[in-house]
Amino acid sequence: MTMRIEIGWALGRAEDFLRRQIKTKAVREAEARQRERQAQENKVRFQERAREAGRRLGRAAAVTGLSGASVIGYGIAVAPVGGPSLVAAGAATLAAATAALVWPSRRAPAGESVARAELAALPFRAEDYLLRHRDLLPSVACAALDAIHDALGELDRHLGELHPDAPLAGEAHRLLQAHLPGLIDSFLALPKSARTPDVCGRLAQSLGVLADELARLTTEIGRDRMTSFETQERFVQSRYRERGW
């Protein structure tokens, strides 16, 4: 009996080791999406910083030019500017140019733009969460986790098309921000002695339900796109086919 327990324990450890070392196709694709998304975000941040630097340099140049023109104009129209006055004017110009360089000019984006960006980022954040917690979950949940990764990869292509106030967008928020991490966090909060095979199986089953819901959500979004296509298709058919074009 003791030998059987030891063999079962050894097989379980070996399975966990292989699961951590040999990544499934879904995990590899998820990691590739994470790298691609991170590269895109880094590119956007770099471009925004470059634009911000250009705006600040432009402001500083405008302030310096305006100050110099003012000093010259005053010297021509009123009286020549002496040495102390030139020094004071130069100091004031330097202070103003420094303030123009330091003061941020980036405008706060519109509320809807922020909401759309946050909605489009939901699959990315959910996948990042899953990849960081995957090794903490039992091996029986691997198939369900792979199904969630596959569903997130498909959802990522379409979720950003929704309006942030659309009902499907609300479903996506609840699934990816509340229900999915809530289920996993509540399982990980259990003491290890309570993570029995039955409990692990129930976790895997619940993750499978969430995978199905994510697939259904993607189908619903695609149905909206199909409705749009069918509307355009009927318009083209009715407008041009009747004319014999």
Side-chain angles (χ1 to χ4, degrees):
M1 185 70 171
T2 303
M3 182 176 295
R4 290 182 181 178
I5 295 175
E6 291 179 351
I7 292 175
W9 178 84
L11 290 175
R13 291 295 299 272
E15 182 180 4
D16 288 339
F17 175 80
L18 290 175
R19 181 165 62 92
R20 287 170 172 77
Q21 298 299 319
I22 303 176
K23 299 177 181 179
T24 64
K25 179 183 177 182
V27 171
R28 293 195 301 270
E29 291 177 348
E31 290 177 341
R33 286 192 294 270
Q34 290 286 302
R35 290 192 296 269
E36 181 180 355
R37 185 63 178 265
Q38 192 62 54
Q40 291 175 349
E41 290 187 350
N42 291 338
K43 181 180 179 180
V44 170
R45 280 196 293 268
F46 175 80
Q47 291 173 341
E48 179 57 34
R49 288 172 183 170
R51 286 192 293 268
E52 176 67 10
R55 288 192 291 265
R56 294 189 185 190
L57 287 172
R59 283 203 312 268
V63 168
T64 302
L66 181 61
S67 177
S70 299
V71 171
I72 294 173
Y74 181 86
I76 295 174
V78 181
V81 180
S85 298
L86 283 175
V87 172
T93 300
L94 179 61
T98 302
L101 283 172
V102 174
W103 194 265
S105 61
R106 181 166 43 190
R107 299 177 180 177
E112 183 176 331
S113 298
V114 173
R116 284 186 179 277
E118 291 179 350
L119 179 64
L122 285 178
F124 169 76
R125 294 173 181 169
E127 280 205 316
D128 178 67
Y129 173 86
L130 286 180
L131 290 172
R132 287 187 287 108
H133 291 81
R134 185 183 179 98
D135 287 346
L136 302 176
L137 301 176
S139 58
V140 70
C142 283
L145 291 171
D146 285 348
I148 291 177
H149 280 301
D150 291 337
L152 288 173
E154 187 64 25
L155 183 64
D156 185 45
R157 302 185 183 97
H158 305 287
L159 191 59
E161 301 173 1
L162 290 177
H163 190 279
D165 295 331
L168 292 178
E171 288 189 38
H173 275 285
R174 288 189 292 272
L175 278 170
L176 300 180
Q177 286 191 314
H179 300 160
L180 176 60
L183 174 65
I184 292 176
D185 289 343
S186 62
F187 174 82
L188 294 177
L190 294 173
K192 291 185 177 181
S193 58
R195 301 177 191 177
T196 62
D198 176 66
V199 172
C200 292
R202 285 155 55 192
L203 169 68
Q205 184 179 11
S206 297
L207 288 171
V209 171
L210 289 179
D212 292 341
E213 279 300 302
L214 288 171
R216 181 195 62 80
L217 181 62
T218 304
T219 301
E220 289 293 326
I221 297 174
R223 184 172 292 120
D224 289 343
R225 301 276 72 78
M226 178 59 72
T227 301
S228 176
F229 165 75
E230 290 174 347
T231 300
Q232 293 298 321
E233 188 264 344
R234 284 194 298 268
F235 169 77
V236 170
Q237 292 287 346
S238 63
R239 181 176 180 85
Y240 298 107
R241 201 169 190 177
E242 292 176 357
R243 299 182 182 181
W245 293 1

